Amino acid sequence: MKKLSVSLMMVLVSIVAVAQGHWREKIGDEWFNKYGIHNLTVGNKMPDIPFGKILNNTTGKTHFSELKGKVVILDFWGTDCATCIANIPRMEELQRQFGDKIQIFLINTNESEEEINSGGARFLKARHAKDLKSASTLPSIVLEKTLSSLDEYYNSKWAKLWTFRGIPFHVIIDKNGIIRSLGGHEGTYPQKIQDIIDDKDVYSMNDINMSPNFGFGKSRRPYYEYLGNMTDIPVVYGAFFSAYNNNLGRFSLVSAKDSITKTTRKSYINYPLLNIFEHSSLGVQVLEQIERKHIVYNSGGLEQFIILPIAADTARITNNFSRLANSFVLSGSDLHAEVTSDDILKASCCYEQILPLSTSIKEQKDLMVKDLNGYLYSKLKLTAAIQTTTLPCYILTKRGEDKVSSKTPEDKSKNIEPAEVKVGKDVFIKYSNYGLRYLFHDIIGEYESGKRLSKIMYHNRMAEAKPFLIINETGWPDLKPLNMMIPKDLTSMDDLRKLLNQYNLELQVQDRSLDFIAFSPASN
């Protein structure tokens, strides 16, 4: 039975390879045809190469063959990749969760230990560490010496296995040394790891390293032409949707003009439905109010401004769960703390709109709403429309003498990098010539930043009648350059309010009316 399973897997791998070959020829992505085509893929045997220089090698192993019997996860990362850095604690937690059943390695193929220690300030600061060795408990493979040229990288042992145009990139290898999953970090999560440990089949979602990119192709043909034999009859008006296409990387092409067919085209490949709504007239109207109503803090994009009914399957609209404005998204149990490749597959689709060149931008975006509502109805029996809603917001106003204005003219504001300053035992962040909107985003941070105030704003969104937006009603431009000293670790919005009072600024909770995209049952 085991032999039959292995044989079947090899047949499936061959079928996938043939399919990808067809897509590779169709798309004509030069980078992928030169580099990505040589990458090891699912079903390949992991070669027995030496690890090279490795820090925190608690395994005591020096070659892959010595890890037979364990599931091995390779996490390729870099110090200039914020997502990579944010993902390291999650990988450490997975190692703790599965113990000696798995072994995770961090691999940096571009930087040596010396380069990371001297030039990786953002990484080391995020990890509260003085050097790479103390930055993580996981074994960390690095270059043995600094690369002298790009050619040296392409000739390295790692580049001969995988060449990247995007990180993080994860490789999961089963107990028998067979590659079972490749792609972005979303494809590495507990259930999938357990399934690989148990020798079950798993789905491997390709990323931009493992698939040709639709937007980088030579031909620039419409997406629909790649799906079937329709090239002889050009489409001059229409729109269509398809499911997630694992043969292509995520890409959007928002204004492709064809002088022969006299059409303009928008293509969204493997995009979550809500991200496509963002480009429609509904999304434009909602997001334009950020400037129009002077919203200087909101910790997300369109996800902040949607309303969903209780029974809605949120995961089929977006996979960006941490940004959902949950005071209005009354969702069920489908929200995860962590986005997986399954979530991305569930929320994403391919959409293409083809219209006559004479169609105005407004008409294009209005027609997108009709297309998207048709697709939304077919999936969830919902329809989307603008709904004006009154909700509590933090309102910023000024009182008395101006104590914060920069003397630098607004048009020369460069958002000078904030500097850490010690005053006695207290630590402050000094903001010089810093735009008002950027100041609030830096003080509060995004949810993923881990800052205390960002968590407060996030939990406000999760509750009824709690403010999670800051609106500037000082009369100042939203990017007005300011000079301020802010304590490094503000612990509450009350602390922020008291601090702003010292600068003759008020931050009060008041109701305001804002536009939201409301997803409602179609029968209503």
Side-chain angles (χ1 to χ4, degrees), residues 398-405 476 501-505:
K398 60 183 179 180
R399 62 180 191 183
E401 179 189 355
D402 180 355
K403 293 185 176 182
V404 293
S405 291
W476 292 337
N501 286 346
Q502 296 174 23
Y503 289 96
N504 282 343
L505 294 170

Side-chain angles (χ1 to χ4, degrees), residues 181-197:
S181 179
L182 294 159
H185 65 288
E186 302 92 348
T188 304
Y189 51 93
Q191 185 57 57
K192 187 174 187 177
I193 294 171
Q194 187 60 55
D195 286 345
I196 293 175
I197 290 172

Side-chain angles (χ1 to χ4, degrees), residues 456-505:
I456 290 171
M457 293 294 256
Y458 174 74
H459 289 299
N460 280 2
R461 295 204 315 269
M462 301 286 280
E464 289 285 349
K466 291 283 188 178
F468 58 88
L469 303 170
I470 298 177
I471 298 178
N472 169 28
E473 294 187 3
T474 62
W476 292 337
D478 296 338
L479 297 181
K480 178 181 175 63
L482 305 177
N483 293 327
M484 296 183 77
M485 291 273 284
I486 308 290
K488 184 178 180 181
D489 295 312
L490 289 171
T491 57
S492 70
M493 292 304 290
D494 281 338
D495 289 343
L496 177 58
R497 186 180 290 113
K498 290 173 185 175
L499 175 77
L500 291 171
N501 286 346
Q502 296 174 23
Y503 289 96
N504 282 343
L505 294 170

